């Protein structure tokens, strides 16, 4: 898939880092580091009750959002899941707006009404995230249909978890997107658990890529969450879609959720998974891997910048006002 790269799994190759510029490596590490530190601060602040919504942290899963979004253009769009901080930030969502949203403040990206699970930033083409599993996939598909008709080479990436692939709407979307050759990248963040239920108790086989291929959609698997392999696979898929050579493409990226399903803590004491799994994935942490690709001076500069940005975002959230009571019924739609 990549010249000089090592071919793995469903045709996905690990690129040679020497093919990437210093600017590429710095940008990718900065995005990974920003998401990691932002969520670590969310976990630190959460027990104070300043954050007014449930949080589903993506610590350990950052490489999927960063690898995909780094290969997209600014005018491409993404949709995400309730575990959407990484998708939102990787696509360029406003950091201050995200923290203010978590605090329930009027300056939040959804004016404090959506919380952690409902992040949106249309200026960055983040279509939104949702608490309901799988529901943002057909929304993304509608955008892909509009983009195809617009004819400007834009694409949409829809992020979802392995649990969402058990929803009927996922297969309906695969069929429609393939039938109409829509410029849509299906991105499965496979962390092996639907809340507390392991995949082995839900799936008769783990051959997800094979199931998707029956819809006539090319499928690729990255089994180690490698951010550079995800970026490379996305770049190739997106280039084919922009040129019209391909309709939709599917990427399954294996990653691991380090924290509990919902909340800032750990849940290994519950017994549905073992800490040995965590340690295996920690040993290949993509934030650290990307950081080691930079020299110490460049990495330290990124780290300082990220700390400043996160601190400013938290201060902005804490100093922002809550929405006025009269806003309670504004921007509320019912039919």
């Amino acid at each position: 898939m990549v010249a000089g790269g090592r071919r793995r799994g469903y045709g996905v190759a690990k690129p040679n880092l020497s093919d990437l510029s210093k600017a590429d490596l710095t940008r990718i590490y900065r995005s990974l580091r920003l998401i990691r530190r932002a969520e670590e601060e969310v976990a630190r602040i959460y027990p104070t009750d300043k954050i007014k919504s449930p949080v589903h942290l993506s610590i350990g899963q950052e490489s999927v959002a960063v690898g995909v979004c780094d290969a997209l253009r600014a005018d491409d769009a993404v949709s995400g899941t309730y575990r959407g901080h990484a998708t939102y930030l990787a696509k360029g969502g406003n950091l201050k707006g995200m923290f203010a949203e978590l605090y329930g403040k009027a300056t939040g990206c959804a004016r404090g009404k959506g919380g952690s699970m409902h992040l949106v930033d249309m200026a960055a083409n983040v279509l939104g995230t949702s608490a309901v599993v799988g529901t943002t996939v057909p929304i993304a598909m509608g955008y892909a249909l509009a983009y195809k008709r617009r004819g400007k080479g834009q694409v949409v990436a829809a992020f979802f978890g392995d649990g969402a692939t058990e929803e009927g709407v996922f297969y309906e979307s695969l069929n429609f997107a393939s039938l109409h050759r829509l410029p849509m990248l299906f991105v499965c963040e496979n962390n092996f658990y639907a809340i507390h239920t392991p995949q082995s108790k839900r799936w008769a086989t783990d051959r997800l890529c094979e199931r998707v291929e029956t819809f006539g959609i090319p499928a690729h698997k990255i089994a180690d969450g490698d951010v550079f392999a995800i970026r490379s696979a996305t770049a190739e898929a997106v280039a084919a879609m922009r040129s019209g050579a391909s309709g939709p493409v599917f990427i399954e990226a294996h990653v691991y959720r380090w924290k509990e399903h919902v909340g800032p803590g750990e849940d290994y004491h519950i017994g549905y998974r073992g800490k040995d799994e965590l340690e295996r994935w920690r040993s290949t942490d993509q934030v650290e891997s990307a950081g080691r690709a930079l020299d110490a001076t460049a990495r330290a500069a990124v780290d300082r910048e990220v700390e400043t940005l996160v601190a400013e975002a938290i201060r902005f959230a804490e100093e922002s006002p809550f929405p006025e009571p009269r806003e309670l019924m504004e921007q509320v739609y019912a039919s």
Side-chain angles (χ1 to χ4, degrees), residues 264-278:
E266 295 186 346
D267 59 2
Y268 297 92
H269 63 286
I270 296 176
Y272 75 95
R273 61 178 183 167
K275 210 156 189 176
D276 56 324
E277 291 183 357
L278 171 65

Side-chain angles (χ1 to χ4, degrees), residues 79 127 136-147 156 158 169-170 172-178 180 182-184 186:
S79 69
L127 304 180
T136 55
V137 176
I139 294 172
M141 190 177 64
Y143 264 79
L145 177 61
Y147 280 177
V156 182
V169 71
F170 170 66
E172 293 166 354
S173 298
L174 288 176
N175 183 62
F176 188 90
S178 183
H180 295 279
L182 301 184
M184 179 163 171
F186 291 85

